[in-house]
Amino acid sequence: MTKVIDVKDLVNSIEDGSTIATVGMTLISAAETILTEIENQFLEKNSPRDLTLVHSAGQGDRVRGIIHLAHEGLLKRIIGSHWGLQPAMMELITNEKIEAYCIPQGQICQLYRSMSRGISGHLSKTGLGTFVDPRLEGGKMNERTKKLDDISKIVNVNGEEYIWYNEIPLDYVILRGTECDENGNVTIEDEAMKLEMLPAALAAKRFGGKVIVQVKRVVQNGTLNPKDVVVPGVFIDNIVICDDVFKNHRQTSSWYHDPSYSGQARVPVAHDEVLPLDVRKMIGRRAVYEISKGDIINLGTGIPNDVISHIVNEEGFTDDVMITVESGMYGGIGAGGIDFGIAKNTQAMITHTDQMDFYNGTGVDVTFIGFGECDKAGNVNSTKMGNISPGAGGLIDIAQGAKKVVFCGTFTAKGLKVNFDDRKLNIVNEGEVLKFVDNVKQVSLSSKEALKKDQKIVIVTERAVFELRENGMELVEIAPGIDVEKDILALMKYKPLVSDNLKVMDADIFNADSKANIKQHIK
């Protein structure tokens, strides 16, 4: 028997005060038909309201996705990892209109799995020493939330500290697939990620919750290859057929469907244009010097994903490293910006939960992450900019497990302009905001925890490279054309260590030609 339900009837059945989990990343797999209708019914009749929204990755593109739920009254509480592409959600959090907790992205994925197994929470070292540690901020994102109970605690097992993330009973889980049969068996052939669909569905079932899936179409029973089914129909309660697939079932924000991002086709890499040299590419070029041949690497948002994957392709060493992204991608060339998390011509695609198992456990050889601040102790803030707190996303999961963490960003912010005449760096206009400060606004990476594990922490900027030492940050390299005193030390709130063997960056990094001969540095 078909489980298809009209979206209006579905939303009308959602009770006020319910806890809803949505599965997606950026706009990938956003159930836009359902999310839009929840918003419409709230605006029309003030219900459903007082919902708790749970989500692992950030979901949206500034105008679509979970931003439809960003209304005071509709939401009472949000428990998620990242809101950088949901400005209206960040505004609600900043203005104390909703309760907001941040849990690292991978920990939410794994919490679903723990809950589905009948466990009352999830045990992990991920988050220790950072702002999600209950001894610091406990992931509470505003003053309103700081008055509430913690959703995690520190426990000791065999003499070691862990964070225990409490279970979150789910009333509804909203998924998206490509098609399903009349029994509700779901496939995802046109989707660009596998995500954590089954763990989330099973977590809801553990608490007697309902699982809803939005699809493009329903096919006859027996039509689907059973190996293609990602959630068996016995766990699906209702099916919503998308009302407008070109508008509300886009593969990602920038396009409706590109088969090279869903593994259904491959495109010639020669079609990808060479990135022009600017300060972001210059930073990316220097950052990839930290790679060794055979490394498994991770690319975060910003400069890492937007630039470094292209540099690896341009410089011709794609076969020497394996690029991964937190969503579960292996190899390929990543899409950037609002389409973060997907890649064309990938070699493999695993689930979001499985990827986080790898990142938390074995860990990548090198991860590249953007940064906002670094303090005198070597703590790094990549999660709070001014009064705005976009959250951690997968940063904490990835950084704490990696063997080497390379932070990429400009030395100053807001107004920095440079050029690369004569194969050296020239500061045309200095940035107004200093990023090397006495104390960071929020601890995204704890230097104390990094030193315990003997991690190598590197900060790469356009003019200086720093490495973490036992007694603070050490300046180890400068760009050609830079004056250490005037262009670096005078613009830091603290005095760093300065290496006795201070090096000058390779001039090839500042070459405007398409290649910088980086492959020769990959040993």
Side-chain angles (χ1 to χ4, degrees), residues 258-272 313 318 322-323 329-335 342-349:
D258 181 335
S260 69
Y261 285 102
S262 49
Q264 296 164 307
R266 296 182 70 84
V267 295
V269 295
H271 289 179
D272 287 273
N313 180 49
T318 53
M322 174 57 70
I323 295 175
M329 303 297 143
Y330 284 75
I333 300 172
I342 63 174
K344 63 177 67 174
N345 296 358
T346 55
Q347 295 185 36
M349 184 188 302

Side-chain angles (χ1 to χ4, degrees), residues 298-306 324-326 340 367-370 398:
N298 161 266
L299 301 180
T301 58
I303 290 174
N305 188 73
D306 296 353
T324 72
V325 184
E326 61 207 60
F340 171 76
T367 181
F368 297 90
I369 300 171
I398 301 161

Side-chain angles (χ1 to χ4, degrees), residues 216-285:
K216 291 181 179 179
R217 54 191 171 270
V218 175
V219 299
Q220 186 178 16
N221 285 338
T223 304
L224 304 177
N225 185 328
K227 290 195 295 184
D228 293 336
V229 173
V230 294
V231 181
V234 291
F235 303 126
I236 300 295
D237 293 281
N238 291 118
I239 302 163
V240 171
I241 301 174
C242 181
D243 54 340
D244 184 340
V245 293
F246 292 99
K247 177 183 177 184
N248 292 332
H249 208 107
R250 299 177 65 82
Q251 187 184 50
T252 186
S253 179
S254 297
W255 51 85
Y256 164 64
H257 179 240
D258 181 335
S260 69
Y261 285 102
S262 49
Q264 296 164 307
R266 296 182 70 84
V267 295
V269 295
H271 289 179
D272 287 273
E273 63 181 71
V274 173
L275 296 177
L277 183 62
D278 60 10
V279 70
R280 287 161 57 86
K281 184 173 183 179
M282 178 259 127
I283 293 169
R285 279 178 166 178

